[in-house]
């Protein structure tokens, strides 16, 4: 049995992008939290254009437990979470959305599981409030993800999780730029468990995940954890070549048996279109991988820090070297 430290410290990591509308509710629910352990909160202001940073700086001035790391511009949710994990203090780190869709009231259950010996406790969404189209898309995505990757990325889990320091250290060591945090968390291993919860609707403000961002996140998940799409494109190429070969054999047989070949135009066009399409698709898949390799070799920092407030004031918040 794992023996846990008697007086652990917990750090909440909360990425915020244009969340001024929901911040008063969020801050109130953090103030109301009584978890029976030492608590710190780290907000990551992901280049918000609204009053988010001003409100957070004000809150940090009032409450010593709060801090805010502010980026020079918007770097994206997954980068904000990763930066939060890098600066988080404590034996335990929990990642929550700012819009109260990951209810802080569930944290006592998460902490109880940690005391039971689990190193990662993540939330599993039981009721999705999204449109039927998105629900089907999520279902297909998670099934595909589980089929083609070797690690266990639980279905319907998001970034809402409580992690032991050991797991956070592993994630912090991963240098990749296109980050899919729930995948990295699964990759880390240790003892992991999910807790089901009904994900409420966003408290206020509006989602910044549009179709384009969701697709990008899905691609990051699929391509960072599997090279099967690359191999799959090879198979499609081989299948197309085989089809072409069959057609050639058919044409030869017809020719040798003395029959005149059917009008050639249609079949030529069909073949050209089919092969052209397959080639473009395969090139597209290869391109996706190359663009990710390109991101890595450029070796730029993952984010740029503008400033840190609250307890981060005493910490050197520099842009990390790649
Ligand atoms: N977020 C962020 N940077 C972004 C987009 C979103 O830090 O570029 C934060 C946002 O403030 C929220 C969390 O990520 O705390 C989840 O975003 P959102 O609620 O828009 O996504 P959804 O819950 O609709 O998937
Ligand atoms: Mg949300």
């Amino acid at each position: 049995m794992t023996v846990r430290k008697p007086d652990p410290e917990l750090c909440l990591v909360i990425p915020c992008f244009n969340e001024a509308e929901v911040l008063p509710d969020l801050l109130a629910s953090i103030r109301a939290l009584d978890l029976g352990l030492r608590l710190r909160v780290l907000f990551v202001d992901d280049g918000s254009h609204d009053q988010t940073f001003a409100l957070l700086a004000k809150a940090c001035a009032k409450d010593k437990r709060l801090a805010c790391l502010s980026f020079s511009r918007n770097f994206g949710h997954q980068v904000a979470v990763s930066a939060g994990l890098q600066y988080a203090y404590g034996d335990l780190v929990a990642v929550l959305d700012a819009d109260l869709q990951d209810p802080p009231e569930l944290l006592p259950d998460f902490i109880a599981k940690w005391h039971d010996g689990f190193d990662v406790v993540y939330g599993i969404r039981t009721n999705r409030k999204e449109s039927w189209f998105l629900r089907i898309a999520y279902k297909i995505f998670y099934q595909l993800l589980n089929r083609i990757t070797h690690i266990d990325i639980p279905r319907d889990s998001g970034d809402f999780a409580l992690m032991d320091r050991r797991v956070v250290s592993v994630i912090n060591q991963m240098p990749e730029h296109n980050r899919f945090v729930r995948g990295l968390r699964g990759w880390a291993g240790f003892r992991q468990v999910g807790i089901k919860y009904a994900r409420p609707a966003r408290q206020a403000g509006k989602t910044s995940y549009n179709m384009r961002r969701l697709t990008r996140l899905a691609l990051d998940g699929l391509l960072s954890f599997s090279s099967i799409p690359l191999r799959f494109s090879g198979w499609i190429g081989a299948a197309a070549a085989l089809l072409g070969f069959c057609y050639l054999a058919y044409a030869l047989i017809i020719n040798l048996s003395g029959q005149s070949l059917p009008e050639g135009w249609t079949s030529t066009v069909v073949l050209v279109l089919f092969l052209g399409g397959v080639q473009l698709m395969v090139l597209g898949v290869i391109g996706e991988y190359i663009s990710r390799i390109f991101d890595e070799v450029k070796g730029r920092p993952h984010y740029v820090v503008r400033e840190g407030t609250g307890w981060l004031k005493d910490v050197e918040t520099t842009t990390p070297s790649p």
Side-chain angles (χ1 to χ4, degrees):
M1 219 194 81
T2 327
V3 180
R4 297 299 194 191
K5 223 172 137 179
D7 182 25
E9 178 169 15
L10 168 69
C11 183
L12 306 183
V13 167
I14 309 182
C16 306
F17 177 56
N18 295 342
E19 299 288 8
E21 266 181 62
V22 80
L23 273 183
D25 291 344
L26 175 68
L27 289 166
S29 74
I30 289 175
R31 269 195 298 274
L33 268 185
D34 182 15
L35 299 170
L37 36 72
R38 284 176 294 144
L39 181 73
R40 277 183 198 245
V41 185
L42 172 55
F43 298 95
V44 183
D45 166 33
D46 186 10
S48 302
H49 313 302
D50 64 359
Q51 288 302 305
T52 300
F53 182 71
L55 288 175
L56 286 175
K58 218 156 117 203
C60 290
K62 275 199 218 136
D63 190 338
K64 291 268 162 299
R65 300 173 305 166
L66 311 186
C68 177
L69 179 76
S70 185
F71 286 172
S72 64
R73 64 167 171 87
N74 180 245
F75 281 88
H77 176 206
Q78 299 291 301
V79 177
V81 171
S82 306
L85 294 181
Q86 245 145 19
Y87 280 99
Y89 263 73
D91 314 291
L92 279 164
V93 179
V95 177
L96 278 79
D97 277 1
D99 54 10
L100 293 168
Q101 282 193 286
D102 302 333
E105 297 76 44
L106 284 177
L107 286 172
D109 297 346
F110 281 35
I111 295 167
K113 284 277 180 216
W114 176 77
H115 278 294
D116 288 347
F118 290 99
D119 299 293
V120 175
V121 189
Y122 53 84
I124 301 177
R125 305 158 181 190
T126 51
N127 65 327
R128 285 194 167 273
K129 291 260 189 278
E130 290 90 3
S131 65
W132 62 267
F133 172 75
L134 268 185
R135 282 209 301 268
I136 293 176
Y138 277 121
K139 197 168 173 170
I140 295 175
F141 169 69
Y142 277 104
Q143 269 175 4
L144 194 64
L145 194 65
N146 267 331
R147 190 147 294 182
I148 71 172
T149 57
H150 302 300
I151 50 161
D152 193 18
I153 301 175
R155 206 184 128 194
D156 283 334
S157 70
D159 293 321
F160 184 27
L162 177 82
M163 290 174 268
D164 188 84
R165 166 56 54 192
R166 293 185 292 174
V167 179
V168 176
S169 306
V170 174
I171 297 178
N172 287 347
Q173 277 171 32
M174 300 192 193
E176 56 229 74
H177 281 71
N178 297 290
R179 299 178 81 80
F180 185 59
V181 175
R182 64 203 76 160
L184 302 178
R185 197 179 69 207
W187 188 96
F190 293 100
R191 289 189 69 197
Q192 310 214 356
V193 67
I195 287 190
K196 290 197 172 140
Y197 75 106
R199 187 164 161 92
R202 182 176 248 282
Q203 191 96 350
K206 55 180 192 303
T207 176
S208 39
Y209 267 100
N210 52 23
M211 226 30 220
R212 192 173 56 85
R213 280 189 166 211
L214 275 178
T215 315
R216 188 165 170 86
L217 183 68
L219 276 181
D220 276 342
L222 290 173
L223 304 187
S224 316
F225 287 96
S226 172
S227 47
I228 286 186
L230 263 184
R231 266 179 252 150
F232 185 65
S233 49
W235 295 334
I236 296 184
L242 189 71
L243 270 180
F245 183 77
C246 291
Y247 188 75
L248 181 75
Y250 163 77
L252 270 180
I253 291 168
I254 298 273
N255 211 358
L256 288 178
S257 64
Q259 287 168 271
S260 67
L261 268 177
E263 290 283 323
W265 193 83
T266 326
S267 52
T268 313
V269 170
V270 167
L271 271 178
V272 168
L273 282 182
F274 177 67
L275 286 178
V278 167
Q279 279 170 358
L280 284 180
M281 199 179 114
V282 171
L283 275 180
V285 175
I286 296 173
E288 286 291 339
Y289 279 95
I290 292 183
S291 80
R292 281 165 176 74
I293 299 171
F294 189 45
D295 281 344
E296 300 303 333
V297 296
K298 277 185 289 191
R300 293 191 185 146
H302 293 196
Y303 53 87
V304 179
V305 174
R306 189 166 56 84
E307 63 181 293
T309 51
W311 53 258
L312 270 184
K313 268 230 146 71
D314 314 323
V315 182
E316 204 191 344
T317 47
T318 47
T319 300
S321 52

